[in-house]
Amino acid sequence: MMLKAHEGVQVDIIDRLPTPFGLVRSGVAPDHPETKIVVNQFSRVAANARCSFFGNVTLGSDVSLAELRGTYDVVVLAYGAESDRSFGIPGENLRGIHSAREFVWWYNGHPDMHNLVPDLQNTDSAVVLGQGNVALDVARILLRCTTKLASTDIAGHALDALKSSTIRKVYLVGRRGPVQAACTAKELREILGLQNVHVCIKEGDLATSPADKEEMRNSRIKRRVHELLSKAATMHKEKNSNDQKELHFVFFRKPTRFLPSEGGSTVGAVELEKTLLKDDAVTGNQVAVGTGEFEDLKCGLVLKSIGYKSLPTEGLPFDNYKGVVPNLRGRVLSSESETTTVEAGLYVVGWLKRGPTGIVATNLHCAEETVASILEDDRNGVFMAPSDSRRQGRKGLLEILEQKNARYVPFDGWEKINSEEKIAGQLKNKPREKITTWDELLKAANGG
């Protein structure tokens, strides 16, 4: 967007990973290849002579935010949400409990999660806490026929583990009801249509209150989600045949603690408290309130899908409660003084800007807003400096990296990784066989 909008601008992309494309490579499910087509557009941008890629460069250790601000007129932070929210309830550290982000990174071949090794062979039941699109993604990967997954770009280690998985039942648990489920109709329709999967929904959970009906009147998505769940409940009334896997939608339940298995260190069950909905006078939303009734749901694997969390970096104003950088249409706001001021030349975009919600298209709209703010500031002379103190830009970054002996991966290094992955994929009828360890990625980038 910046390259198109401003003929004189040079853009340098800095990434912690040796590979570009962030969320598209590490977040989008392998069985959603159509969503990954946007990579072609990103590759065209990277091929522009005014754009350079610096992979394998970590903000905070290889280069500080202060150094970047001293080197560039404009710094845009787009590092998203690389951590997870937690419940803060007893037993959360038991083995067999992972965040959905960790599981997604594992099956997508992110090098940080190569050694995750979730145990899919000592239980027949997995509990996914949350009912958003990411929750549906991980449930679908656990339940989908591995023959279908074998032709995707899923990481090889994940495909092997899923082929020998003993998991037959997946429980999607939400603290509120079907009207409040945070997924989209497209994602829900896909998981409800999985072959050889019996869907279990209690018809009583589908009853709607006047407040629910009002929510559905105001939201086409909520209405459509409720319709799909109602239709699935009717279609799957017959008893499950023995060879089918099971997908259970569990509504009006919130986890209160994780219980160990007989061995003591691995999760064996989730204690759930029944909830009911009450109107919140402040927000106007219906919130889940515990009833004091509890039940245990046995399982050997738990995936927590309750939201990603962004992390602060030194020198960056950060709202720890909301988990975002305070900003005005992408312009970073200083939170250090009583009268909040704009941090000149510093911007945010994506999940770091507005929180971990939305899809690839949402991030594109978000980026457009930030770019508009940058262009407006440029027109207003915000980046004007005396001619003798012009910032060095790319030349300055290269000097910083050289001083710290930081070995960066340029875009042609990524192209070598890309080529190696595609050649390996062809042998297995896959679009690519991802390289999943740091050492091997760096080796491939160097052509070795």
mmCIF file of all heavy atoms in Angstrom, residues 419-437:
data_model
loop_
_atom_site.group_PDB
_atom_site.id
_atom_site.type_symbol
_atom_site.label_atom_id
_atom_site.label_comp_id
_atom_site.label_asym_id
_atom_site.label_seq_id
_atom_site.Cartn_x
_atom_site.Cartn_y
_atom_site.Cartn_z
ATOM 1 N N SER A 419 11.735 -22.796 -2.620
ATOM 2 C CA SER A 419 12.021 -23.758 -3.686
ATOM 3 C C SER A 419 12.254 -25.159 -3.119
ATOM 4 O O SER A 419 11.715 -26.152 -3.632
ATOM 5 C CB SER A 419 13.258 -23.281 -4.455
ATOM 6 O OG SER A 419 13.637 -24.236 -5.395
ATOM 7 N N GLU A 420 13.011 -25.232 -2.025
ATOM 8 C CA GLU A 420 13.295 -26.527 -1.408
ATOM 9 C C GLU A 420 12.014 -27.178 -0.884
ATOM 10 O O GLU A 420 11.803 -28.389 -1.040
ATOM 11 C CB GLU A 420 14.315 -26.347 -0.271
ATOM 12 C CG GLU A 420 14.914 -27.654 0.202
ATOM 13 C CD GLU A 420 16.101 -27.457 1.132
ATOM 14 O OE1 GLU A 420 17.008 -26.666 0.807
ATOM 15 O OE2 GLU A 420 16.123 -28.098 2.204
ATOM 16 N N GLU A 421 11.149 -26.363 -0.264
ATOM 17 C CA GLU A 421 9.883 -26.893 0.268
ATOM 18 C C GLU A 421 8.981 -27.403 -0.851
ATOM 19 O O GLU A 421 8.337 -28.450 -0.720
ATOM 20 C CB GLU A 421 9.157 -25.806 1.059
ATOM 21 C CG GLU A 421 9.813 -25.473 2.396
ATOM 22 C CD GLU A 421 9.024 -24.478 3.223
ATOM 23 O OE1 GLU A 421 8.146 -23.779 2.660
ATOM 24 O OE2 GLU A 421 9.268 -24.397 4.442
ATOM 25 N N LYS A 422 8.931 -26.663 -1.956
ATOM 26 C CA LYS A 422 8.055 -27.066 -3.068
ATOM 27 C C LYS A 422 8.547 -28.343 -3.742
ATOM 28 O O LYS A 422 7.752 -29.207 -4.100
ATOM 29 C CB LYS A 422 7.949 -25.920 -4.080
ATOM 30 C CG LYS A 422 7.065 -24.778 -3.601
ATOM 31 C CD LYS A 422 6.863 -23.737 -4.680
ATOM 32 C CE LYS A 422 5.765 -22.766 -4.288
ATOM 33 N NZ LYS A 422 5.548 -21.727 -5.319
ATOM 34 N N ILE A 423 9.865 -28.455 -3.910
ATOM 35 C CA ILE A 423 10.427 -29.675 -4.521
ATOM 36 C C ILE A 423 10.131 -30.889 -3.634
ATOM 37 O O ILE A 423 9.712 -31.949 -4.112
ATOM 38 C CB ILE A 423 11.943 -29.509 -4.754
ATOM 39 C CG1 ILE A 423 12.192 -28.494 -5.877
ATOM 40 C CG2 ILE A 423 12.601 -30.843 -5.085
ATOM 41 C CD1 ILE A 423 13.634 -28.016 -5.988
ATOM 42 N N ALA A 424 10.332 -30.726 -2.304
ATOM 43 C CA ALA A 424 10.044 -31.826 -1.369
ATOM 44 C C ALA A 424 8.553 -32.163 -1.366
ATOM 45 O O ALA A 424 8.155 -33.329 -1.236
ATOM 46 C CB ALA A 424 10.501 -31.449 0.039
ATOM 47 N N GLY A 425 7.705 -31.136 -1.532
ATOM 48 C CA GLY A 425 6.253 -31.347 -1.563
ATOM 49 C C GLY A 425 5.806 -32.141 -2.778
ATOM 50 O O GLY A 425 4.920 -32.993 -2.687
ATOM 51 N N GLN A 426 6.429 -31.871 -3.937
ATOM 52 C CA GLN A 426 6.060 -32.572 -5.177
ATOM 53 C C GLN A 426 6.212 -34.086 -5.031
ATOM 54 O O GLN A 426 5.419 -34.852 -5.573
ATOM 55 C CB GLN A 426 6.939 -32.082 -6.335
ATOM 56 C CG GLN A 426 6.514 -30.732 -6.882
ATOM 57 C CD GLN A 426 7.478 -30.202 -7.932
ATOM 58 O OE1 GLN A 426 8.511 -30.817 -8.215
ATOM 59 N NE2 GLN A 426 7.142 -29.054 -8.508
ATOM 60 N N LEU A 427 7.214 -34.505 -4.286
ATOM 61 C CA LEU A 427 7.447 -35.943 -4.091
ATOM 62 C C LEU A 427 6.327 -36.599 -3.293
ATOM 63 O O LEU A 427 6.161 -37.815 -3.327
ATOM 64 C CB LEU A 427 8.787 -36.165 -3.368
ATOM 65 C CG LEU A 427 10.042 -35.613 -4.066
ATOM 66 C CD1 LEU A 427 11.261 -35.747 -3.169
ATOM 67 C CD2 LEU A 427 10.269 -36.343 -5.394
ATOM 68 N N LYS A 428 5.560 -35.779 -2.547
ATOM 69 C CA LYS A 428 4.490 -36.321 -1.704
ATOM 70 C C LYS A 428 3.105 -35.846 -2.137
ATOM 71 O O LYS A 428 2.141 -35.972 -1.383
ATOM 72 C CB LYS A 428 4.728 -35.912 -0.248
ATOM 73 C CG LYS A 428 6.022 -36.457 0.342
ATOM 74 C CD LYS A 428 6.160 -36.086 1.818
ATOM 75 C CE LYS A 428 7.409 -36.701 2.416
ATOM 76 N NZ LYS A 428 7.553 -36.395 3.851
ATOM 77 N N ASN A 429 3.015 -35.267 -3.332
ATOM 78 C CA ASN A 429 1.738 -34.732 -3.825
ATOM 79 C C ASN A 429 1.168 -33.646 -2.914
ATOM 80 O O ASN A 429 -0.036 -33.570 -2.706
ATOM 81 C CB ASN A 429 0.703 -35.842 -4.007
ATOM 82 C CG ASN A 429 0.788 -36.470 -5.381
ATOM 83 O OD1 ASN A 429 1.311 -35.845 -6.311
ATOM 84 N ND2 ASN A 429 0.327 -37.688 -5.497
ATOM 85 N N LYS A 430 2.058 -32.832 -2.351
ATOM 86 C CA LYS A 430 1.661 -31.713 -1.493
ATOM 87 C C LYS A 430 2.123 -30.409 -2.149
ATOM 88 O O LYS A 430 3.086 -30.411 -2.911
ATOM 89 C CB LYS A 430 2.321 -31.831 -0.102
ATOM 90 C CG LYS A 430 1.919 -33.066 0.700
ATOM 91 C CD LYS A 430 2.711 -33.158 2.005
ATOM 92 C CE LYS A 430 2.313 -32.059 2.990
ATOM 93 N NZ LYS A 430 2.990 -32.244 4.308
ATOM 94 N N PRO A 431 1.455 -29.272 -1.837
ATOM 95 C CA PRO A 431 1.920 -27.999 -2.394
ATOM 96 C C PRO A 431 3.341 -27.671 -1.942
ATOM 97 O O PRO A 431 4.099 -27.049 -2.647
ATOM 98 C CB PRO A 431 0.933 -26.960 -1.857
ATOM 99 C CG PRO A 431 -0.048 -27.667 -1.002
ATOM 100 C CD PRO A 431 0.250 -29.128 -1.011
ATOM 101 N N ARG A 432 3.670 -28.093 -0.700
ATOM 102 C CA ARG A 432 5.026 -27.928 -0.166
ATOM 103 C C ARG A 432 5.184 -28.835 1.042
ATOM 104 O O ARG A 432 4.203 -29.217 1.680
ATOM 105 C CB ARG A 432 5.305 -26.469 0.223
ATOM 106 C CG ARG A 432 4.506 -25.956 1.426
ATOM 107 C CD ARG A 432 4.915 -24.539 1.833
ATOM 108 N NE ARG A 432 4.625 -23.562 0.793
ATOM 109 C CZ ARG A 432 5.543 -22.832 0.181
ATOM 110 N NH1 ARG A 432 6.824 -22.978 0.522
ATOM 111 N NH2 ARG A 432 5.215 -21.974 -0.753
ATOM 112 N N GLU A 433 6.427 -29.197 1.353
ATOM 113 C CA GLU A 433 6.737 -29.895 2.602
ATOM 114 C C GLU A 433 7.532 -28.893 3.430
ATOM 115 O O GLU A 433 8.694 -28.609 3.140
ATOM 116 C CB GLU A 433 7.564 -31.151 2.329
ATOM 117 C CG GLU A 433 7.840 -31.988 3.579
ATOM 118 C CD GLU A 433 6.583 -32.554 4.212
ATOM 119 O OE1 GLU A 433 5.910 -33.393 3.584
ATOM 120 O OE2 GLU A 433 6.269 -32.124 5.341
ATOM 121 N N LYS A 434 6.885 -28.316 4.432
ATOM 122 C CA LYS A 434 7.502 -27.222 5.176
ATOM 123 C C LYS A 434 8.740 -27.668 5.942
ATOM 124 O O LYS A 434 8.757 -28.744 6.535
ATOM 125 C CB LYS A 434 6.496 -26.609 6.153
ATOM 126 C CG LYS A 434 5.453 -25.721 5.482
ATOM 127 C CD LYS A 434 4.508 -25.142 6.511
ATOM 128 C CE LYS A 434 3.480 -24.237 5.853
ATOM 129 N NZ LYS A 434 2.441 -23.813 6.808
ATOM 130 N N ILE A 435 9.750 -26.811 5.914
ATOM 131 C CA ILE A 435 10.926 -26.998 6.765
ATOM 132 C C ILE A 435 10.554 -26.419 8.121
ATOM 133 O O ILE A 435 10.090 -25.278 8.211
ATOM 134 C CB ILE A 435 12.152 -26.283 6.162
ATOM 135 C CG1 ILE A 435 12.448 -26.852 4.772
ATOM 136 C CG2 ILE A 435 13.357 -26.413 7.079
ATOM 137 C CD1 ILE A 435 13.484 -26.055 3.984
ATOM 138 N N THR A 436 10.746 -27.200 9.177
ATOM 139 C CA THR A 436 10.117 -26.833 10.455
ATOM 140 C C THR A 436 11.084 -26.571 11.605
ATOM 141 O O THR A 436 10.643 -26.392 12.738
ATOM 142 C CB THR A 436 9.124 -27.940 10.879
ATOM 143 O OG1 THR A 436 9.850 -29.164 11.030
ATOM 144 C CG2 THR A 436 8.009 -28.112 9.857
ATOM 145 N N THR A 437 12.393 -26.569 11.343
ATOM 146 C CA THR A 437 13.328 -26.246 12.428
ATOM 147 C C THR A 437 14.150 -25.019 12.034
ATOM 148 O O THR A 437 14.398 -24.775 10.842
ATOM 149 C CB THR A 437 14.295 -27.405 12.744
ATOM 150 O OG1 THR A 437 15.199 -27.571 11.647
ATOM 151 C CG2 THR A 437 13.542 -28.706 12.999
#
